[in-house]
mmCIF file of all heavy atoms in Angstrom:
data_model
loop_
_atom_site.group_PDB
_atom_site.id
_atom_site.type_symbol
_atom_site.label_atom_id
_atom_site.label_comp_id
_atom_site.label_asym_id
_atom_site.label_seq_id
_atom_site.Cartn_x
_atom_site.Cartn_y
_atom_site.Cartn_z
ATOM 1 N N ARG A 11 -6.791 25.970 -13.459
ATOM 2 C CA ARG A 11 -8.254 26.230 -13.358
ATOM 3 C C ARG A 11 -8.965 25.004 -12.942
ATOM 4 O O ARG A 11 -9.380 24.188 -13.832
ATOM 5 C CB ARG A 11 -8.737 26.552 -14.925
ATOM 6 C CG ARG A 11 -10.181 27.125 -14.865
ATOM 7 C CD ARG A 11 -10.531 27.803 -16.063
ATOM 8 N NE ARG A 11 -11.761 28.452 -15.895
ATOM 9 C CZ ARG A 11 -12.964 27.846 -16.209
ATOM 10 N NH1 ARG A 11 -12.857 26.780 -16.880
ATOM 11 N NH2 ARG A 11 -14.104 28.585 -16.046
ATOM 12 N N ALA A 25 -12.003 7.693 -9.779
ATOM 13 C CA ALA A 25 -11.598 6.796 -8.636
ATOM 14 C C ALA A 25 -12.546 5.525 -8.518
ATOM 15 O O ALA A 25 -11.916 4.481 -8.179
ATOM 16 C CB ALA A 25 -11.699 7.547 -7.318
ATOM 17 N N VAL A 45 -5.970 13.118 -2.112
ATOM 18 C CA VAL A 45 -5.240 12.172 -1.328
ATOM 19 C C VAL A 45 -5.620 10.748 -1.751
ATOM 20 O O VAL A 45 -6.927 10.528 -1.703
ATOM 21 C CB VAL A 45 -5.412 12.462 0.227
ATOM 22 C CG1 VAL A 45 -4.689 11.430 1.118
ATOM 23 C CG2 VAL A 45 -4.976 13.880 0.503
ATOM 24 N N GLU A 70 0.033 22.488 -12.902
ATOM 25 C CA GLU A 70 0.969 21.746 -11.999
ATOM 26 C C GLU A 70 0.316 20.777 -11.109
ATOM 27 O O GLU A 70 -0.797 21.076 -10.687
ATOM 28 C CB GLU A 70 1.857 22.867 -11.223
ATOM 29 C CG GLU A 70 2.867 22.262 -10.310
ATOM 30 C CD GLU A 70 3.526 23.377 -9.571
ATOM 31 O OE1 GLU A 70 3.213 24.424 -9.698
ATOM 32 O OE2 GLU A 70 4.403 22.904 -8.778
ATOM 33 N N LEU A 88 -16.811 0.754 -2.474
ATOM 34 C CA LEU A 88 -17.298 1.697 -3.418
ATOM 35 C C LEU A 88 -17.293 3.049 -2.728
ATOM 36 O O LEU A 88 -17.143 4.106 -3.419
ATOM 37 C CB LEU A 88 -18.661 1.331 -3.870
ATOM 38 C CG LEU A 88 -18.697 0.236 -4.873
ATOM 39 C CD1 LEU A 88 -20.116 -0.175 -5.240
ATOM 40 C CD2 LEU A 88 -17.864 0.467 -6.184
ATOM 41 N N LYS A 94 -14.825 15.847 -0.543
ATOM 42 C CA LYS A 94 -14.998 16.712 0.695
ATOM 43 C C LYS A 94 -15.532 18.139 0.352
ATOM 44 O O LYS A 94 -15.016 18.783 -0.666
ATOM 45 C CB LYS A 94 -13.703 16.909 1.436
ATOM 46 C CG LYS A 94 -13.120 15.681 2.140
ATOM 47 C CD LYS A 94 -11.893 15.973 2.959
ATOM 48 C CE LYS A 94 -11.459 14.785 3.646
ATOM 49 N NZ LYS A 94 -10.284 15.233 4.514
#
Side-chain angles (χ1 to χ4, degrees):
R11 188 163 192 266
V45 178
E70 182 180 354
L88 290 177
K94 288 187 176 181

